[in-house]
Amino acid sequence: MNPSSSGWIAKFLKDIDLDPTIANASLDNLYPQLKKTGFIYGNSIDALLIPNTKLSYSQEEKTKINLLIALRAAYLDAIENATNEDFIEALLEFYKYLDSKKSYFSFLSLPTNSYDKLEKAIHARIQTNESIFKKNFSHLLTNALLFIDVLAFEYYLVYDNNPFQYASLFEESITNTVFLALNSKQEKNEYDQLLVKLFASSVRYTKVSSEGEASFDHLELQKFKDPLEKQYILDLTSMAVWNDERLDQGEIDFVQALGAELQMQKEAVTTSINEVHDFIDTYKDEITFFKYSNPAQHFYNQTSRTVRLLILRNRKRLIREITESKDLMILLGQSTVRELSAEEKQRVKNQLLDICKSIPSLAIFILPGGGILLPLLIKFIPQLLPSAFNENK
């Protein structure tokens, strides 16, 4: 079974059925194991099940395996006496809901078999690993958000509702929580401040619009009542605040306050912090991001170079698309002399994402976590436009 070749899902589901410890495990029971593999933290160092030990699987292939196992566990938790075929069809319908504008998973409507469609869908969820994003923080963040798929799938099955709004709210809440966590550091150096600024610029389009007003009150964490939802938010935040092999008192106070806000026991908060520390301490030599003494600097420099390269490669088409959007041009021009309102910022974001969807090379901006890169896109846009556009600056 090779997760990079066609037909792997059908073969792997048979392997799962032969292993009762995986086949019959609930999602709650699998979650601690998913943390140990690194899947929850965005780096699958291992997989929950590797049927052929003679093969050497890449991190991307292990991520595919862990994602499929977690999705299957969520399905069996919600649906009794279901078959693998039922699971495949339900998962395809779920991904169609997430792709509300029929662009990211457009292949789902093509006349081919269900297993092939699902393989392409799962591949699309982690395709950033094959690009210049490989082994940097954006890759870590994007794959750390993959568990949202699992929780949204469970929500879809239990409540029989369109999961798009749930997934969007969850991603927004986690992104904003990470921003607050990064901002909680007592002493910020130059690159800590750059990273906080980048997150702040990204989340301004949502409910946390500035550092001054950012607080737990804007996160609406009370909407997440399931223990697994709470644990995931806590674990991802504990991972996010790690950047120098230690937590200062401000970061510790923040994580503890987050645990209290989520109505979790203090022991659970301590355990979450310790598990992140143990994972990083064990595998930091295998994860490029954690090798850097200042990952914030690495993240900012790497993503800036990446976005700039993508913009330059698509310069002509990007200029044409932007200039044809009169509303966007007006708002971008006004943003150089005044602060845009929350509604105007949302319009800028939506129109930029629509443009990115029309240019395949810019598809990274519509992936999970891609919203964090939008401020960098906006930063480089003025360099593309006529000089008259910059007169206000």
Side-chain angles (χ1 to χ4, degrees):
M1 191 281 294
N2 182 354
S4 295
S5 64
S6 178
W8 74 270
I9 287 182
K11 295 177 182 178
F12 188 61
L13 289 175
K14 293 179 180 178
D15 291 324
I16 294 178
D17 289 336
L18 295 176
D19 189 331
T21 59
I22 298 295
N24 301 325
S26 67
L27 185 59
D28 286 338
N29 290 335
L30 286 179
Y31 184 84
Q33 299 178 54
L34 288 169
K35 273 203 289 188
K36 290 181 180 179
T37 66
F39 176 75
I40 298 299
Y41 303 132
N43 278 277
S44 288
I45 297 297
D46 200 358
L48 291 179
L49 176 62
I50 298 182
N52 189 343
T53 55
K54 295 181 180 180
L55 290 178
S56 179
Y57 292 148
S58 66
Q59 274 199 30
E60 293 77 17
E61 291 168 339
K62 293 172 184 175
T63 301
K64 288 182 179 181
I65 290 173
N66 289 331
L67 177 59
L68 183 65
I69 290 176
L71 289 167
R72 182 181 179 276
Y75 183 76
L76 295 183
D77 282 348
I79 308 296
E80 295 183 359
N81 301 319
T83 65
N84 286 332
E85 286 70 24
D86 296 333
F87 161 60
I88 298 297
E89 293 301 328
L91 191 52
L92 286 175
E93 287 300 314
F94 163 74
Y95 277 128
K96 285 181 181 178
Y97 273 118
L98 286 192
D99 187 43
S100 60
K101 294 191 176 180
K102 307 296 181 186
S103 57
Y104 188 42
F105 295 123
S106 56
F107 53 79
L108 292 179
S109 60
L110 298 177
T112 184
N113 71 75
S114 298
Y115 285 90
D116 184 54
K117 289 180 181 179
L118 184 58
E119 286 171 7
K120 291 179 179 178
I122 290 180
H123 179 73
R125 296 306 277 173
I126 62 170
Q127 66 179 1
T128 48
N129 299 320
E130 298 174 352
S131 69
I132 45 186
F133 273 88
K134 192 169 185 178
K135 295 182 180 180
N136 67 20
F137 184 79
S138 329
H139 142 73
L140 181 144
L141 180 65
T142 299
N143 274 357
L145 294 175
L146 278 175
F147 194 68
I148 294 178
D149 281 23
V150 181
L151 294 174
F153 185 44
E154 185 176 56
Y155 171 88
Y156 164 68
L157 295 169
V158 172
Y159 296 103
D160 194 25
N161 287 336
N162 187 329
F164 184 83
Q165 184 176 0
Y166 171 89
S168 299
L169 175 63
F170 206 109
E171 181 176 296
E172 174 187 301
S173 298
I174 285 182
T175 303
N176 289 339
T177 303
V178 167
F179 160 62
L180 290 179
L182 292 171
N183 202 35
S184 68
K185 189 170 184 177
Q186 289 180 332
E187 296 183 7
K188 303 182 185 69
N189 59 32
E190 175 187 358
Y191 294 104
D192 291 326
Q193 293 170 349
L194 284 173
L195 189 56
V196 169
K197 183 177 180 180
L198 187 59
F199 268 83
S201 297
S202 176
V203 301
R204 68 181 181 177
Y205 299 113
T206 61
K207 291 192 168 74
V208 178
S209 59
S210 70
E211 294 182 42
E213 68 180 52
S215 70
F216 283 128
D217 295 336
H218 295 83
L219 298 181
E220 301 183 28
L221 296 176
Q222 68 277 5
K223 292 185 177 180
F224 305 111
K225 302 183 183 301
D226 186 273
L228 211 54
E229 294 173 332
K230 297 178 180 182
Q231 188 64 54
Y232 178 53
I233 294 173
L234 182 64
D235 288 336
L236 208 56
T237 304
S238 296
M239 184 273 293
V241 296
W242 186 95
N243 63 0
D244 48 14
E245 298 192 37
R246 65 180 180 84
L247 299 182
D248 65 25
Q249 192 58 47
E251 293 166 326
I252 292 174
D253 291 344
F254 176 85
V255 177
Q256 290 176 341
L258 175 63
E261 187 73 17
L262 293 169
Q263 298 182 339
M264 300 181 70
Q265 299 292 327
K266 289 185 178 180
E267 293 77 9
V269 176
T270 302
T271 299
S272 177
I273 294 173
N274 290 339
E275 286 176 341
V276 169
H277 179 273
D278 291 343
F279 178 80
I280 293 173
D281 188 57
T282 303
Y283 298 112
K284 62 184 177 183
D285 291 336
E286 300 178 44
I287 304 173
T288 304
F289 170 67
F290 292 121
K291 289 182 182 179
Y292 288 80
S293 59
N294 198 316
Q297 176 184 359
H298 173 56
F299 168 60
Y300 190 84
N301 292 342
Q302 179 72 17
T303 50
S304 293
R305 288 194 297 268
T306 297
V307 172
R308 185 173 185 274
L309 178 63
L310 289 173
I311 289 176
L312 290 176
R313 285 180 175 177
N314 297 276
R315 178 188 181 99
K316 292 182 179 179
R317 185 169 178 182
L318 193 56
I319 291 175
R320 185 176 71 251
E321 295 284 350
I322 292 175
T323 53
E324 288 178 356
S325 176
K326 294 182 180 179
D327 185 40
L328 178 59
M329 280 291 291
I330 292 172
L331 289 174
L332 287 174
Q334 291 178 348
S335 70
T336 63
V337 294
R338 68 175 178 86
E339 178 73 11
L340 299 182
S341 67
E343 181 182 354
E344 289 172 329
K345 290 172 183 175
Q346 186 63 45
R347 280 158 53 197
V348 169
K349 175 182 177 181
N350 292 340
Q351 292 182 45
L352 281 176
L353 286 177
D354 285 339
I355 290 174
C356 290
K357 288 177 182 178
S358 68
I359 304 176
S361 300
L362 301 182
I364 58 168
F365 291 96
I366 60 176
L367 295 173
I372 287 179
L373 304 179
L374 275 177
L376 288 175
L377 176 61
I378 296 173
K379 171 186 174 183
F380 290 113
I381 282 176
Q383 301 174 20
L384 303 179
L385 300 176
S387 57
F389 178 83
N390 290 301
E391 288 178 357
N392 287 332
K393 298 192 68 174

